[in-house]
Amino acid sequence: MWIGIDDTDSAQGGCTTYVATEVIKELSNKFDLIGFPRLVRLNPNIPWKTRGNGAIALHFGHGYGKKFEIGHIGKKIYAYEKGINKFEDVSEELEKIIHARAFLEDEKTNPAFVICRKKPSYSFYKKAVRSIVTIEEAKMETKNCIYKAYKNGRGIIGSVAAISWKPYDRTYELITYARKKWVDEESVIKMDKECKSCFDNYDYENKYIAIMPHANSPVLYGIRGEDADELKKAMGIVISSQIERWIIFETNQATDEHLQKKKIKDVKPYESVIVKGIVKKEPHVIKGGHVIFSIYDGNEIECAAYEPTKRFRNIIKKLRKGDVVVVYGGVRKKPLTINIEKIKIEKLAKVYEKMENPICPKCGKHMKSMGRGKGYRCPKCGIKAGEDKARYEIVERGIKPGFYEVPVVARRHLAKPLKRMKLS
Ligand code: ATP
């Protein structure tokens, strides 16, 4: 059976991954975990998410084949490579855990769990990671399932979507939990340098420990990587306060599965898109330090590198009219803007700078401009010359074609780092 859980935490605290560890602790007495527990990130642009829009899927049954250690929750936790499905109504156990651990009193917390015999359709996950889906659509996928949706019932969406994910591409995250929160920065840097398949751990540019959540949560840190075994080695390198439990999740983080290629006319709010266009409005800085420009493909849309993207904004500021770019990012509703996660500069336009006004053929002095686009005139002799007669030089652009991404500090869970794209 598959169990999906979502929306148990609030801005005040909690974490759905912690609820998952409670469920694993409880149900691993009766069942085997088949495969890793899953942490599935969904549409990062929905307004009602608490933080990272993550939901959980767990596969329980009778395991066989290779058995591997995936965590420690009071005891060693194992998962099996393969398994035979077992189905049982475990809603009583799940309800108990939700009542004990979910922030039900928070108006924005609307938990749910689903127990399915079979996985719902993959297309439901795809829709939930890329756009907005309704509670009714989620319920359509729950035929022959047992579920409980608390309060406004919205948690059912993430619960079903998490189960319906298929890891065509995947990464892993080892999450540790502790009461006291302390992590030694130097050890994080050491781990990042030694564990080559890990990513997004430390932001060297901004001296920021990315493995620690800033929110109120039972999580001490989470290390992300391509290789579950190397994550255990990484945990051994990080020096921290006493870890009370840890678990490795298989995730869709860093896969770019939220993105879809679009023409500007088809871009809708709350989606995440890949759009190719020519820079039309050159970058300008607005209040708050955000950098805005626009691109054009027959229609025009604004793009933004917001202040939290720090030095990435310096790259964006160098864009000029005529540059051909592909932007990757989430779409904000008002004003309709693409919030850039990464950008590919395909072609840089030739930018010319005027170095010298034309010289009068009669007196040999520089001519004066008659106004923008109106040409030149010698003030002494009255001889005129066109705009093109001035001396121009090609400007050194200071950037090269290629991919650029926001720093680790501003990275979204689903955004595929250039390191994973083998581009950095
Ligand atoms: P995390 O567990 O990482 O903190 P989160 O707390 O940010 O995640 P939730 O508290 O789970 O997010 O809130 C997100 C809510 O939005 C959930 O109720 C979920 O079911 C719902 N939801 C998720 N994806 C979609 C979607 N594509 N369309 C509509 N609702 C969604």
Side-chain angles (χ1 to χ4, degrees):
M1 69 185 157
W2 282 91
I3 296 180
I5 311 163
D6 194 20
D7 208 344
T8 65
D9 56 353
S10 89
Q12 278 77 54
C15 179
T16 305
T17 70
Y18 187 83
V19 173
T21 66
E22 289 288 283
V23 174
I24 293 168
K25 190 172 85 176
E26 177 73 25
L27 296 188
S28 59
N29 295 327
K30 264 202 218 169
F31 304 96
D32 298 322
L33 256 178
I34 305 167
F36 285 89
R38 292 178 173 179
L39 166 58
V40 182
R41 300 285 175 181
L42 301 166
N43 185 347
N45 310 310
I46 56 157
W48 46 84
K49 65 177 186 167
T50 314
R51 285 186 288 266
N53 201 6
I56 297 292
L58 307 168
H59 190 190
F60 286 104
H62 178 73
Y64 65 90
K66 214 176 117 199
K67 181 183 174 189
F68 41 95
E69 191 190 351
I70 56 155
H72 199 283
I73 310 168
K75 59 180 181 189
K76 280 190 179 177
I77 302 290
Y78 295 94
Y80 288 82
E81 186 188 25
K82 293 177 189 154
I84 299 162
N85 229 3
K86 268 186 173 178
F87 187 82
E88 196 181 303
D89 183 357
V90 290
S91 39
E92 211 174 293
E93 288 93 323
L94 297 180
E95 273 189 57
K96 252 192 225 152
I97 294 171
I98 300 266
H99 276 285
R101 299 289 168 189
F103 282 66
L104 283 160
E105 66 286 359
D106 188 312
E107 146 195 30
K108 288 191 189 146
T109 303
N110 300 287
F113 63 78
V114 190
I115 312 165
C116 302
R117 267 172 231 274
K118 278 202 307 199
K119 274 162 81 77
S121 65
Y122 179 65
S123 58
F124 184 77
Y125 158 72
K126 269 189 107 169
K127 197 166 178 198
V129 77
R130 292 181 168 183
S131 56
I132 304 235
V133 292
T134 62
I135 296 172
E136 287 64 39
E137 283 173 284
K139 285 191 177 162
M140 301 263 282
E141 298 285 335
T142 56
K143 289 193 185 108
N144 300 321
C145 299
I146 297 167
Y147 71 85
K148 177 147 176 120
Y150 297 77
K151 296 166 67 184
N152 78 12
R154 199 186 270 146
I156 191 92
I157 297 170
S159 308
V160 174
I163 305 177
S164 56
W165 176 55
K166 285 186 188 161
Y168 293 119
D169 185 14
R170 61 163 75 80
T171 63
Y172 297 91
E173 179 162 355
L174 185 154
I175 303 185
T176 63
Y177 304 85
R179 234 171 288 262
K180 282 201 183 133
K181 307 286 162 57
W182 172 79
V183 169
D184 172 63
E185 188 163 354
E186 285 307 312
S187 72
V188 176
I189 296 171
K190 184 167 184 276
M191 175 272 287
D192 187 63
K193 291 193 168 149
E194 282 182 27
C195 302
K196 298 285 181 227
S197 71
C198 295
F199 53 81
D200 290 357
N201 299 312
Y202 190 76
D203 187 325
Y204 292 88
E205 202 178 291
N206 299 294
K207 294 195 177 11
Y208 171 78
I209 306 176
I211 63 171
M212 282 186 92
H214 4 236
N216 218 348
S217 125
V219 172
L220 173 61
Y221 62 76
I223 311 173
R224 292 158 188 222
E226 304 274 352
D227 175 355
D229 284 331
E230 196 168 35
L231 288 178
K232 293 186 212 166
K233 176 184 157 192
M235 177 171 61
I237 300 172
V238 173
I239 300 168
S240 71
S241 47
Q242 178 76 40
I243 293 168
E244 286 164 12
R245 56 177 74 181
W246 62 271
I247 190 98
I248 299 177
F249 289 94
E250 181 178 45
T251 88
N252 64 342
Q253 290 169 167
T255 61
D256 269 355
E257 284 185 353
H258 59 314
L259 297 170
Q260 43 188 332
K261 274 191 191 162
K262 288 247 166 159
K263 290 276 171 207
I264 292 172
K265 69 175 176 30
D266 300 321
V267 170
K268 293 198 197 78
Y270 308 126
E271 290 181 343
S272 299
V273 292
I274 304 175
V275 177
K276 181 170 171 168
I278 296 174
V279 174
K280 187 162 185 210
K281 220 182 284 145
E282 293 196 347
H284 59 282
V285 182
I286 61 164
K287 204 173 151 217
H290 315 303
V291 181
I292 312 288
F293 67 100
S294 79
I295 58 171
Y296 183 80
D297 70 353
N299 292 281
E300 190 176 354
I301 193 163
E302 292 212 318
C303 303
Y306 291 110
E307 190 282 330
T309 64
K310 305 294 172 194
R311 278 206 262 171
F312 175 71
R313 293 171 299 165
N314 295 342
I315 304 288
I316 298 302
K317 280 185 204 162
K318 288 187 176 143
L319 292 173
R320 290 292 171 267
K321 212 170 165 167
D323 289 345
V324 181
V325 296
V326 184
V327 297
Y328 298 64
V331 186
R332 186 184 153 146
K333 188 173 183 189
K334 249 183 166 177
L336 198 73
T337 310
I338 303 176
N339 175 5
I340 305 174
E341 292 166 11
K342 57 180 168 256
I343 187 166
K344 183 180 179 200
I345 301 176
E346 285 204 337
K347 205 168 159 212
L348 289 169
K350 283 204 171 85
V351 177
Y352 295 91
E353 192 184 356
K354 191 174 78 179
M355 306 309 287
E356 200 184 357
N357 282 1
I359 288 167
C360 173
K362 199 168 168 198
C363 67
K365 292 237 163 80
H366 280 121
M367 295 178 159
K368 285 244 158 74
S369 169
M370 294 191 291
R372 218 181 153 156
K374 289 187 181 150
Y376 299 89
R377 184 172 169 273
C378 176
K380 201 168 147 210
C381 314
I383 293 174
K384 289 182 181 171
E387 282 288 313
D388 59 326
K389 293 293 181 278
R391 188 169 69 80
Y392 291 90
E393 261 179 28
I394 290 182
V395 175
E396 181 51 59
R397 296 290 307 274
I399 37 168
K400 290 194 179 114
F403 270 100
Y404 297 88
E405 65 187 341
V406 301
V408 171
V409 64
R411 201 151 303 156
R412 288 194 135 169
H413 298 299
L414 278 158
K416 191 170 186 168
L418 300 187
K419 186 176 175 186
R420 277 207 86 216
M421 294 166 83
K422 310 281 181 265
L423 286 168
S424 73

